[in-house]
Amino acid sequence: MPGYGLHYFLPQWISPSDQRLEADVCVYGATASGVIAAVAAMRAGKSAILLHPGHTLGGMTSGGLGCTDFGKKAVIGGMSRQFYRDLGAVNGKEEEWMFAPHVAQEVLERYIKQAGVAVHTHQFLDAVEIADGRIASVRMLGGLIVKARMFIDATYEGDLMAKAGVRYTLGREANGVYGETINGVQVRAHHQFSHFVDPYIKPGDPSSGTLPYIEQQDAAPNGSGDFRLQAYNFRVCMTDDPKLKVAWEKPADFRDLDFELVRRWFNAEMDSYNDQLPNYDGRHPELIKKFDVLGERTADGHLKTDTNNHGAVSSDFIGANYCWPEADYARREQLFQAHVKWQKGVYWVCANDPAIPERYRKVYSRFGLASDEFVNTGHWPHQIYVREARRMVSDYVLNEHDTQHHRQCDDAVGMGSYNMDSHNCRRFIRDGRVMNEGDVQLPPAGPYRVSYRSIVPGKGQCANLIVPVCLSSSHIAYGSVRMEPVFMVLGESAAIAAHLCIEAGCTVQELPYAKLEPRLAKANQVLRIG
């Protein structure tokens, strides 16, 4: 595969095409969910075409998220569970849940090859033809047209769902919409500014203006709804192995003021850890947590990480992603690059800026990008972590009542179990100091069921579309269900449902659960616990 550079979208990727293709099932989006859906359709005896707007298969699963968020492993079944067993087999283990990105990509590509799925990369959706309430065909930029009997939208953004006219929502519902308690605006203590940090360009002087990416207006009351999204970032694979380490690069057009908040935060926190030295076994001082170790250390003690956001100021580019879901591809490319610049800048500052306390500079400068990962994108992940974008609104909206077992559906196609996990959505000023808002980290009552009605449009809407990623869910419940193993579970269930709809000649809304459930059970999907 040639090096494509670190981009979300480039016009030169689009090649003119007059191809007209047909299949039983068309999957749009080669996330891990999309790969599993396409492979499952082929294994069921249906022809499948996988259209991917990117160039690398696997989404976040191959894009740096190697420290798997799974909740309770017992609820992960079917091809999703087999994927983690196949990862384990690479290194002689029963299962592997902490893995290097290239290993995940190799396993997913093997699935595609073995199943014979036709994959078309750099295919960005342009238009959807609707006839008699169904998707008749989709047209890509460049002209490729695909007709299919069933469609599966496995993108993180829900682009096919949106162009098909399916009802969806964005942002955070107020608690009152579904009778929830932890949706909407949330000012909480975790990933918060636990120490005073001045928000103004000239400390103490509001007339000097605020530092970048901080809103002046105070947050609305907790539980209020709004348009904001939890922050995006990249799950970077770092290493401290000098044979592999690529030193941090200062971003082009680096603007010093953009990272003043980083400097102030690291200095505000330093006194709390003045007697601790950093180590690499999960007990880091607060500001260098989430350097999660992937696999085994080398014989000489070196490691790779899945490095995620942690703390008040980190790799999350808070407030910079609000328009991503509805943006066109060129605008998403701009937002993609802005996120790259922010995160590279954070790491470069932490490793090199003399204003950063020395103990933290030593840690960050010891690490760098792993030269044997993401070789086609400058060793930086190909996938931005779209934690949340559009969410379908169907006849069953998964919400806090499901996660807390106040209700449980009777038509499960999978289960969730992870914390209700929303990253921060906003920075603002309160009482003359910087505050974060939006973080929630609360456990469900236990594993909960995900309804079939949550992955298909409501009655009277698109009759041949299934949506396993941007499923029907409230913001706070989506924070739990949005885990890669669950997306793979739902991708397989979507393919099984598509197969049955084709066989029965029915719409996705008409498919009897009595026919679907035994097929899911045969595929070893976990539909209930206890």
Side-chain angles (χ1 to χ4, degrees), residues 5-8 232-234 236 248-252 259 315 317 320 324 332-348 369 377-378 380-384:
L6 185 55
H7 296 279
Y8 169 82
Y232 298 172
N233 71 340
F234 293 88
V236 173
W248 301 118
E249 175 185 52
K250 188 175 185 179
F259 301 95
S315 58
F317 195 7
W324 178 279
R332 284 183 186 169
E333 167 67 13
Q334 294 173 346
L335 296 170
F336 182 97
Q337 295 303 332
H339 279 75
V340 171
K341 181 179 177 180
W342 164 259
Q343 197 162 339
K344 282 188 174 182
V346 169
Y347 295 149
W348 186 87
L369 299 176
T377 52
W380 193 266
H382 53 83
Q383 176 68 57
I384 188 171

Side-chain angles (χ1 to χ4, degrees), residues 239-246 298-302 369-372:
T239 184
D240 65 350
D241 187 340
K243 298 187 296 294
L244 295 176
K245 187 184 83 170
V246 178
T298 63
D300 49 1
H302 295 300
L369 299 176
S371 62
D372 59 344

Side-chain angles (χ1 to χ4, degrees), residues 19 74 200 225 234 279 320 396 407 454 472 505:
Q19 278 189 296
Y200 302 114
F234 293 88
N279 55 50
Y396 193 105
R407 68 172 185 177
S454 289
S472 179

